Each structure stands twice: as structure tokens, then as C-alpha cells.
Amino acid sequence: MAIAATEPTSVRSFGPGTALSCRECGQRYELTPKFACEFCFGPLEVAYDFGTVTREEIESGPNNIWRYRSLLPVPTNVAELPNMNPGLTPLVRADRLAAELGFDSLHVKDDSGNPTHSFKDRVVAIAVEAARTFGFTTLSCSSTGNLAGAVGAAAARAGFESCVFIPAGLEEAKVVMAAVYGGKVVAIDGNYDDVNRFCSELIGDPVGEGWGFVNVNLRPYYGEGSKTLAYEIAEQLGWRLPEQIVIPIASGSQLTKIDKGFQELIKLGLVEDRPYKIFGAQATGCSPVAKAWEEGHDVIQPVKPDTIAKSLAIGNPADGPYVLDIAKRTGGSVEHVGDDEVVDAIRLLARTEGVFAETAGGVTTGVLRKLVREGRIDTKAETVVLNTGDGLKTLNAVDAGVTATVKPTLAAFTAAGLA
């Protein structure tokens, strides 16, 4: 049911969230499991009435994303409810990588430290609270792997049934991680876009009754979890925004929500309003947004993914046009790198900073290096690059092994040329 733009709802279990708002036409709706506008089919997102929020209030909160609960659509007692408590992952000062690439100040936001070793725990945590409020009994999703694991774990902790859908042929580690929590894992013979379409059909069918699909009918709430990356980066930098940030693009939602988080911090007076540039990163084998950027288009032409960066392999990214808008508005860009560059960048990050990134982290680091090589990023500006997952999930992407095998004697070690 549509509501007037100025009419608040009486639902307070969503904290400061007051309504769902269409990003295209501005039409507002009650806070329900709705994800598309009835009038223009635009995506819906949560609108807020924040009131007063202070740095002191945030800093006195728990050491996870719930320290930002006054900026999220969750109940005020969310930290007391059974959940995975993700967030507050390290912002690594990457001096050795900075020296190699020529930056004055460079940080890696390493989200592999989350409970299931990817940033997806952030978004799922918000979706779980929405599912609880709406009375869903089964937690579900369409996934390229990381989300499936996060949903399986969160469902187990919170007491939901779970059933996740993935494309056939995903990395073995991601499949095991999704399945170990005891829920159903269903592989679909197709790519991610096929999986997502199937999940949309389930929502409209009696079979899907009582199911909360975290990235479909709960998507407006789920997406807000990515804002916590923006909040944490700003707080960890001493309550200031980075001048430049490189973010991977799958659906594009993470990038748009980090921008939304930065804008909220500015409006609330929690950080100084200063310019920042956002750079999007894709793998060449699935780079519809980067291609649109290169060609100067405002629309995204879907592609069939073919890349080792499977967590970014979404051929028809829903937020692609919004990513283009943000890159233009902030003075950034959208770039892509090939699979060989992705692997080389994984090694570079591991060798210089001890951070073992999954392929998506190789994409962002690879794009960062490409931007430097082509002189299209300011190496004097404070810069953050995102690693969104753990390299242990994508071991097959990197060919690495022992340096040598020797007998347990000093003589053998020396003879092998290792001393």
C-alpha cells in the first residue's frame, strides 16, 4: 500500500527506518517485504528519520555493526538478539603496498575477518532482523557463494530453516561452507542471473510462502548492511572520509550503499563534508558496468559471465546504472582487469600486506594498480581499497605450493640452496 511522502509509519521495530522509498520516482510505502515500486518498477530502499546521532553514542556501542544501530533499520535491542555480530573488521594501513604502487597513504579494508569470512555477513545480519519482524520461517537467497554461506550460518544461529540457491560449478570451499550449517543448498543449472530469476518466481508461488529471500523480497533491508562499511572506514580513519575508495562490483549494491553511508555521515555532521572519489572494479570476463562506462552509456547491456572472480559474476547488475551515476558525480570511474591480473594482484596483496584476498579482492587491487599505471588516480590522496572475502574460499585461483621438500637435516637444507 502506498503512503504519502510525508506520512511516517507507526512501525518502530525498524529503529529509525520510517518507510520504503522508490529510488526512481520517490513514491513511499510501508515497511513491508516489498522490493519494487508499483508505479515505475524502480528499486525500493529504506528511508529514515535519524534524529540526533553522536560520535560518542556510536563509540560506546558494541564492537560490531550494532554500534551503528541508530543508523540502520533494526530494533534498538538488536545486539541482544541471536545473530552473527559481524563487522568492525580491520582497516589495514598498507604501507608496503603503498610503497610498491607509489601512494602516500593507502589502506585495505579487510572484510575477510567477518564470521563467514566475507562482507556478506553485514547485509545478511540486517535481513535477518527484517525476516524476524515479518514472521518468515525460512531464510533463503540467490548467491554466487559467499552470500549462501552467510545465510546458512545466520539462519542456524537465529533459528530459521534455510534453503539457498547457487549456480552449478561454484568453488568447492564456498559450497561446503554453505552446506555445513545444515540447511538445503540447491545448485541450479545456469548462471547467477538464472538463479535469481528462479528465486523471483518462488516468491510469487505458494511454495515460497513464509520464505524471506534476503537479496530479493528483503533486499531493501539487506542492502543497508553495506552502509556499515562506510561508517567503519570513516570512524577508523578518525571520523573522516577517505579521498578515494576502490569497491568491487557484483550487483553494484555495495558501492551505492557505501556512497549512501558517506552521505548520511555528512548530513548528520559526523564527518566533514569534503570531496571523495569512488572507483568501481570488475573482472574483464564480467564487466558490463565498466563497458558502459568506457562507451559513455547510461544503461547496462547484460553479459554472460566468464571469469575466475565468481563472486562478482553477475551479468545483469541491478544497481549498475546507479554505479555509473555515482562514479560520474564523485569524479571516479569504473574499470576492469583480466583474470591474470586478478591472480597477480592477489599475490601482490598477500606478499606486501599479509592479506590473502579472494578473487574479488584481486579485482579491486588489480584495478587500483591499473589506475596508477594509467595515471588516473591521485597517489597523493588518502585511498582505501576493499577486500571483501577470504582467499581460502578461492584457492584454485592461485597456484602456490612449497618452495622445496628436503630431508630434516641442516645439510639437506643447505644443499637445496635455502640457507
Side-chain angles (χ1 to χ4, degrees), residues 182-200:
K184 297 184 180 70
V185 179
V186 181
I188 300 293
D189 186 13
N191 59 32
Y192 173 82
D193 299 294
D194 298 319
V195 177
N196 206 37
R197 277 194 295 273
F198 176 68
C199 288
S200 297

Side-chain angles (χ1 to χ4, degrees), residues 23-296:
R23 288 161 71 179
E24 289 295 323
C25 70
Q27 182 67 45
R28 291 199 171 197
Y29 301 87
E30 292 180 358
L31 289 159
T32 57
K34 181 189 290 289
F35 57 99
C37 180
E38 295 173 358
F39 296 91
C40 70
F41 302 108
L44 303 180
E45 64 179 1
V46 178
Y48 296 94
D49 179 5
F50 287 128
T52 300
V53 182
T54 67
R55 293 179 183 178
E56 291 74 20
E57 173 192 333
I58 292 171
E59 290 168 349
S60 65
N63 291 328
N64 53 53
I65 62 171
W66 305 132
R67 66 201 283 112
Y68 308 109
R69 60 191 179 279
S70 56
L71 300 170
L72 298 168
V74 294
T76 54
N77 68 336
V78 64
E80 303 165 14
L81 302 174
N83 59 67
M84 300 296 288
N85 296 324
L88 220 58
T89 55
L91 183 69
V92 179
R93 184 175 174 86
D95 290 340
R96 295 189 70 231
L97 180 61
E100 188 138 343
L101 297 182
F103 280 93
D104 285 358
S105 177
L106 179 63
H107 292 81
V108 177
K109 180 59 174 172
D110 185 14
D111 242 19
S112 65
N114 277 310
T116 67
H117 310 288
S118 87
F119 89 99
K120 292 296 186 181
D121 291 316
R122 298 175 182 272
V123 285
V124 169
I126 309 300
V128 164
E129 298 314 318
R132 242 195 276 263
T133 300
F134 296 134
F136 289 128
T137 55
T138 298
L139 213 58
S140 185
C141 69
S142 52
S143 173
T144 57
N146 282 327
L147 180 58
V151 165
R157 180 72 63 85
F160 289 89
E161 298 291 326
S162 71
C163 182
V164 300
F165 299 88
I166 59 174
L170 279 187
E171 298 97 334
E172 184 180 359
K174 290 181 180 175
V175 175
V176 171
M177 177 161 253
V180 74
Y181 302 108
K184 297 184 180 70
V185 179
V186 181
I188 300 293
D189 186 13
N191 59 32
Y192 173 82
D193 299 294
D194 298 319
V195 177
N196 206 37
R197 277 194 295 273
F198 176 68
C199 288
S200 297
E201 290 180 27
L202 278 176
I203 290 173
D205 190 277
V207 172
E209 187 175 350
W211 287 33
F213 289 79
V214 301
N215 56 341
V216 188
N217 57 350
L218 296 176
R219 188 176 184 83
Y221 311 91
Y222 158 94
E224 296 298 285
S226 287
K227 294 192 309 179
T228 59
L229 274 163
Y231 303 151
E232 285 182 20
I233 290 169
E235 183 179 354
Q236 289 169 323
L237 286 175
W239 291 109
R240 69 172 185 275
L241 303 184
E243 294 173 278
Q244 302 175 137
I245 183 168
V246 184
I247 304 169
I249 299 171
S251 72
S253 173
Q254 184 186 58
L255 188 149
T256 62
K257 290 302 187 293
I258 288 176
D259 177 65
K260 184 179 182 182
F262 285 162
Q263 291 296 313
E264 288 173 349
L265 293 179
I266 292 171
K267 290 175 182 174
L268 288 166
L270 293 170
V271 298
E272 180 185 352
D273 184 1
R274 69 172 186 173
Y276 59 87
K277 294 183 180 181
I278 292 185
F279 297 87
Q282 293 195 297
T284 302
C286 185
S287 53
V289 185
K291 185 176 181 182
W293 176 267
E294 287 177 348
E295 297 176 349

Side-chain angles (χ1 to χ4, degrees), residues 402-419:
V402 298
T403 303
T405 300
V406 300
K407 293 186 180 300
T409 66
L410 184 58
F413 181 73
T414 303
L418 299 170

